[in-house]
Amino acid sequence: MGRGDGSGRIVSAPGADDTGTGILHVDMDAFYAAVEVLHDPSLRGLPLIIGSPDGRSVVSSASYEARRYGVRSAMPVSQAVRLCPTARIVPPDFTKYRDVSQRVMAIFEQITPLVEPLSIDEAFLDVRGVRRLWGSPGTIGAMIRQRVQDEVGITCSVGVAATKHVAKMASTMAKPDGLLIVAEPDTLGFLATKPVRAMWGVGPKTAETLESRGIRLIRDILATPASALERAVGPALAQRLQELAAGRDPRGVETSRVEKSVGHEETFDVDVADREALRSELLRLADRVAARLRRAGWEAGTVAIKVRFSDFTTISRSQTLPEPTSVGQRIGEVARTLFDAIDRRDPVRLVGVRAERLTDAGGALGLWDDDAEWRRVEDALDSAQARFGSGTVTRARHLGARPGRGSAPHPRAHGLD
């Protein structure tokens, strides 16, 4: 496996066997950097860091030229510049990225109606029903790469396989600008020698847990007794890993998806050690999350927080609610309870609140509504903001100085508490 810089790239030879395949994963190569080069060709071939030039931002993306110096997404820009002093720092422009993304997704939809975008720069395609129109899955994968290059001007990598999991792994291994086909009969052989870190969904912590027990390759998962694997990662994940290691993944391409989570984060200009100020910020973020839930007609079944400390250590905590909610006060109380349970007291760089396990609002109404009073208050807040504009009405406790920001309140804000 490579390091994300194109080393270790694996691609299929022309005419490679694609027996039993039909799922494609298409991933743009260093997408943000590629779009910047598309708009400014003078940047081509240069090491690019996409991020804010101020010292407290993180890398949104990096060109392969910069990645070869060890630059990675989510790395502090200051660290990235130390690794690659000659890099050009380009502020992100998401309007441009969305425009190019729409052009790429339009190409996918011209080929098959079964397209599942995963993010702005990647998608799954089910092409089993369009073989008579376009050819075999391998042929379609090659055609997509060519069309994206010719019609949009950027490159992409494509994985072709019988399942989503293997297709996702294959596209990663083919980067940049490659096509990797894994025929269905070759699936187990393909998976066996790959590291557990290559599995889609296995993060660094899980990988470390597995590796500490001698489970380094995917074939080791199959060789490990189920009871030992369950002790390492828990029953649910153990079963999932065994299924994927055996090449089984029943997930289909979903063409219509409900957003799985809604969240807001705040990165402070100055690290904040005041716990009460941080608790207040969590409530403010919870109100923003709740307002988005209500506008979309959703309720959250789980509340999660993210806390990043001054040394960039990041902690996440979550709690499942007894009943789904879209009430900011309830989400904020859970967020603050999760925060209070974190023992570490170091200065904080970032906090975030996220609503997860979303369901349609009003799906289950009980005899009593413990949040009825707060629900009425927040409904009134929604109505006022709809009439006078976002930010014109807020809680009184939010009017003071926000942590890590200036002390003046919004000049048009009115208190509601």
Side-chain angles (χ1 to χ4, degrees):
M1 289 295 294
R3 301 173 299 167
D5 59 2
S7 62
R9 176 176 177 265
I10 304 172
V11 297
S12 293
D17 180 23
D18 59 3
T19 302
T21 65
I23 304 298
L24 276 57
H25 181 259
V26 187
D27 198 353
M28 302 302 110
D29 299 318
F31 180 61
Y32 294 173
V35 174
E36 295 299 339
V37 171
L38 187 64
H39 283 77
D40 183 359
S42 70
L43 298 175
R44 188 175 305 278
L46 299 180
L48 301 180
I49 294 172
I50 310 302
S52 174
D54 69 73
R56 298 184 61 82
S57 69
V58 296
V59 176
S60 296
S61 180
S63 66
Y64 283 92
E65 292 82 1
R67 295 182 190 191
R68 295 185 185 110
Y69 289 83
V71 178
R72 298 288 180 271
S73 296
M75 173 184 288
V77 168
S78 56
Q79 180 183 354
V81 171
R82 287 195 296 271
L83 291 171
C84 185
T86 61
R88 180 83 64 86
I89 300 175
V90 181
D93 185 339
F94 292 97
T95 300
K96 288 192 298 192
Y97 306 152
R98 282 191 293 270
D99 175 67
V100 175
S101 174
Q102 289 170 0
R103 292 165 60 192
V104 171
M105 296 296 171
I107 292 175
F108 299 164
E109 291 167 357
Q110 291 168 12
I111 293 169
T112 174
L114 300 180
V115 178
E116 178 186 343
L118 281 187
S119 65
I120 195 172
D121 63 344
E122 60 177 320
F124 283 110
L125 286 72
D126 186 333
V127 299
R128 289 174 293 186
V130 295
R131 295 177 59 124
R132 293 182 62 182
L133 184 62
W134 302 112
S136 70
T139 300
I140 295 172
M143 178 181 66
I144 287 173
R145 291 182 57 240
Q146 192 65 53
R147 287 193 58 179
V148 170
Q149 172 74 66
D150 293 345
E151 299 174 28
V152 181
I154 61 176
T155 64
C156 63
S157 298
V158 181
V160 181
T163 67
K164 293 173 78 172
H165 177 242
V166 177
K168 183 77 162 64
M169 287 180 59
S171 70
T172 301
M173 295 177 189
K175 282 184 162 295
D177 193 18
L179 169 69
L180 180 58
I181 301 169
V182 182
E184 186 175 28
D186 300 333
T187 298
L188 284 179
F190 170 81
L191 291 170
T193 58
K194 303 301 184 293
V196 293
R197 290 177 180 267
M199 298 181 75
W200 178 31
V202 173
K205 293 295 185 183
T206 300
E208 289 172 10
T209 299
L210 294 171
E211 291 166 351
S212 69
R213 290 161 172 78
I215 306 171
R216 300 183 178 278
L217 303 178
I218 294 178
R219 67 185 176 200
D220 297 333
I221 294 174
L222 295 177
T224 302
S227 57
L229 197 60
E230 289 175 3
R231 286 194 298 272
V233 298
L237 182 54
Q239 181 180 0
R240 184 67 182 146
L241 289 175
Q242 288 179 319
E243 290 290 312
L244 295 177
R248 294 188 291 271
D249 182 7
R251 291 172 294 183
V253 172
E254 302 175 13
T255 56
S256 60
R257 304 178 62 182
V258 174
E259 191 169 352
K260 293 183 177 179
S261 64
V262 168
H264 284 285
E265 297 178 353
E266 183 68 50
T267 300
F268 306 123
D269 294 334
V270 178
D271 295 335
V272 177
D274 185 336
R275 303 274 301 179
E276 196 54 43
L278 292 168
R279 294 177 83 251
S280 178
E281 181 68 6
L282 287 168
L283 180 57
R284 188 185 72 83
L285 294 173
D287 281 340
R288 293 183 63 190
V289 168
R292 285 182 60 188
L293 291 175
R294 293 192 295 270
R295 285 197 298 270
W298 294 330
E299 291 182 333
T302 297
V303 173
I305 66 167
K306 179 165 75 173
V307 181
R308 179 169 295 153
F309 295 96
S310 54
D311 64 354
F312 281 88
T313 299
T314 304
I315 293 176
S316 299
R317 297 288 187 270
S318 65
Q319 179 178 318
T320 299
L321 306 176
E323 297 289 342
T325 187
S326 60
V327 175
Q329 182 70 17
R330 176 66 61 206
I331 294 171
E333 287 176 357
V334 174
R336 293 192 294 185
T337 299
L338 292 169
F339 177 72
D340 292 341
I342 297 175
D343 293 332
R344 186 166 173 174
R345 295 296 187 268
D346 297 325
V348 171
R349 174 188 178 88
L350 172 150
V351 291
V353 176
R354 182 164 293 277
E356 300 175 343
R357 292 181 57 228
L358 306 186
T359 59
D360 290 335
L365 297 177
L367 295 176
W368 291 276
D369 183 359
D370 292 337
D371 295 329
E373 186 60 33
W374 275 111
R375 198 181 303 278
R376 283 193 290 271
V377 170
E378 295 184 12
D379 285 347
L381 188 150
D382 290 343
S383 298
Q385 290 190 340
R387 182 178 179 184
F388 299 111
S390 177
T392 56
V393 182
T394 187
R395 297 178 189 268
R397 71 187 67 181
H398 296 337
L399 290 177
R402 285 165 52 193
R405 292 290 189 268
S407 59
H410 191 291
R412 298 172 58 208
H414 306 284
L416 177 63
D417 205 359

